[in-house]
Amino acid sequence: LKNRKSAIADAIFSGSPLTKMLKSKDKIEMEGGGTAFHRAVEYATNGTVKSFSGTDTIDTTKQTVLTDCNYSRRYVAGTYMITIQEMAENSGEQQVINLMKVRENNLIKSFVQQCETYAFAAQPASGSKDPESLTDLVDVDPTADPTRGTVGGITTASSDNTWWRNRTVPLDVDTARAVGDSYDFAANGMTYMRLMWIKCSQAAGMDAPHLIITTPEAYEGYQSLMPPQLVLGKADKRAADLGFTGLEFNGATFTYSNTLTGGTGTTLNKMYFLNLDYLYIVAHRDWNMDIGPLQRPTDQALYTAQVILAYNLICTNRKRQGVIEGFLF
């Protein structure tokens, strides 16, 4: 397992729709020490860009267009265990190999499921040690800071930081829907999706979402409205090569996660519009599925080893991300 920790980490980051798409766009990054992951973010345009002719003076005013976002490094640990009895019963070379394959697959599946759970979890409470979730980064109410605090160290509660707010509904302003608001998908789904796409994009087809991920119920609702030629196997070869066999919307991969909870007859069905140019998984290069030595407790006939992953899901441009919550089926 220790010799295969790189392969195990690679498998974990290929195990869910979100991480698989991030990996395909080289958005899985490794860093060294420090207490947080730091990234520069743009919050203004360069005002010196102007037309001129002849001997007009070129504007050389110093421009301040960047600031920093800082995301805490989060730690996830699990334990690998093997009993003395299992070692005795699998002492042959092939038996040991078979046992290790089972252990490795179980380790991968467990971390994949936990990381997926973190990605779609409700907003972590104040003081939570969990990694960032999409409910933090792409908030239903981006005018208020998430429960745990600021996003990347930048408050969205201030009217000076509207550039750091993601897109949401109602679609004319970026404030949370009122409690009880619902949007019948059959009647309004496509309209809301088209408008959200426009809000998240710089221009038609430019700096637009790459991935739309939703609940199984919303996926089925969208699928029922789509002609068969929009299956990804025909429409998007790259996405199909990554293992996606679902649908697309305006060229973006459209898929679902069973971890993203919704339901028929509820207003909890979410749909995330994600521009993956500004989403990253950043992991510590020395604690990227680091597998420690086997240790034997004094009171049990077994060996255990700690497995540690230090990472976080971060965003550097929330304005290009969007969420619709309230679709009713």
Side-chain angles (χ1 to χ4, degrees):
L1 282 175
K2 196 168 185 66
N3 290 337
R4 284 184 48 76
K5 73 174 187 176
S6 295
I8 292 171
D10 185 70
I12 287 170
F13 291 136
S14 301
S16 72
L18 176 61
T19 57
K20 182 180 289 189
M21 286 292 287
L22 287 171
K23 186 173 182 296
S24 75
K25 293 181 68 64
D26 296 323
K27 297 299 180 179
I28 309 290
E29 299 186 354
M30 300 294 146
E31 288 190 0
T35 59
F37 298 119
H38 304 274
R39 288 293 186 279
V41 294
E42 299 179 39
Y43 70 90
T45 57
N46 188 325
T48 65
V49 180
K50 302 172 184 176
S51 61
F52 80 99
S53 65
T55 59
D56 288 351
T57 301
I58 305 299
D59 189 351
T60 58
T61 305
K62 181 180 178 181
Q63 301 293 298
T64 303
V65 298
L66 300 178
T67 189
D68 291 328
C69 61
N70 306 290
Y71 291 89
S72 298
R73 184 172 289 121
R74 304 294 181 179
Y75 296 87
V76 181
T79 302
Y80 164 76
M81 183 183 301
I82 185 169
T83 66
I84 299 297
Q85 181 177 345
E86 288 174 324
M87 295 175 69
E89 293 173 351
N90 295 274
S91 56
E93 180 177 351
Q94 189 58 49
Q95 290 95 323
V96 171
I97 291 174
N98 292 338
L99 178 63
M100 294 307 292
K101 286 181 180 179
V102 174
R103 297 293 188 194
E104 181 178 311
N105 289 335
N106 179 266
L107 184 70
I108 290 169
K109 287 188 291 185
S110 299
F111 267 87
V112 166
Q113 183 58 51
Q114 190 58 60
C115 292
E116 177 102 341
T117 298
Y118 288 140
F120 296 108
Q123 288 187 356
S126 178
S128 171
K129 301 173 185 177
D130 292 349
E132 305 296 323
S133 68
L134 286 176
T135 52
D136 287 324
L137 303 178
V138 193
D139 198 344
V140 172
D141 182 8
T143 64
D145 289 328
T147 306
R148 184 162 51 183
T150 61
V151 177
I154 303 172
T155 180
T156 61
S158 170
S159 59
D160 293 333
N161 292 338
T162 56
W163 57 272
W164 191 235
R165 295 175 180 173
N166 60 262
R167 304 303 195 176
T168 186
V169 291
L171 293 170
D172 54 334
V173 292
D174 288 315
T175 57
R177 66 183 178 90
V179 175
D181 283 357
S182 63
Y183 316 108
D184 180 71
F185 190 83
N188 303 311
M190 297 304 295
T191 298
Y192 273 70
M193 290 177 67
R194 284 193 292 267
L195 291 175
M196 181 59 75
W197 179 272
I198 291 171
K199 288 182 68 172
C200 292
S201 304
Q202 177 70 28
M206 296 179 60
D207 216 9
H210 305 96
L211 176 66
I212 302 173
I213 191 162
T214 189
T215 62
E217 292 81 5
Y219 180 84
E220 291 176 10
Y222 178 78
Q223 189 176 39
S224 69
L225 300 176
M226 291 297 97
Q229 63 265 29
L230 288 185
V231 172
L232 276 178
K234 299 177 181 179
D236 188 337
K237 184 178 184 302
R238 183 179 180 186
D241 289 342
L242 291 173
F244 292 96
T245 56
L247 306 172
E248 67 165 8
F249 180 81
N250 285 355
T253 301
F254 187 97
T255 189
Y256 67 92
S257 172
N258 283 315
T259 310
L260 186 55
T261 56
T264 303
T266 79
T267 59
L268 300 177
N269 290 287
K270 287 183 179 179
M271 188 176 290
Y272 287 103
F273 289 67
L274 304 177
N275 187 319
L276 303 184
D277 287 341
Y278 308 106
L279 279 175
Y280 303 82
I281 286 177
V282 187
H284 193 295
R285 66 171 61 96
D286 297 325
W287 298 98
N288 181 27
M289 294 306 295
D290 182 73
I291 301 173
L294 285 171
Q295 300 183 34
R296 183 176 176 180
T298 59
D299 58 349
Q300 290 178 294
L302 56 82
Y303 289 92
T304 62
Q306 296 177 350
V307 184
I308 297 176
L309 170 63
Y311 84 105
N312 211 346
L313 175 65
I314 73 172
C315 179
T316 58
N317 189 338
R318 298 182 75 205
K319 200 169 186 176
R320 292 287 170 254
Q321 322 298 330
V323 60
I324 303 173
E325 183 185 66
F327 281 137
L328 189 64
F329 299 90

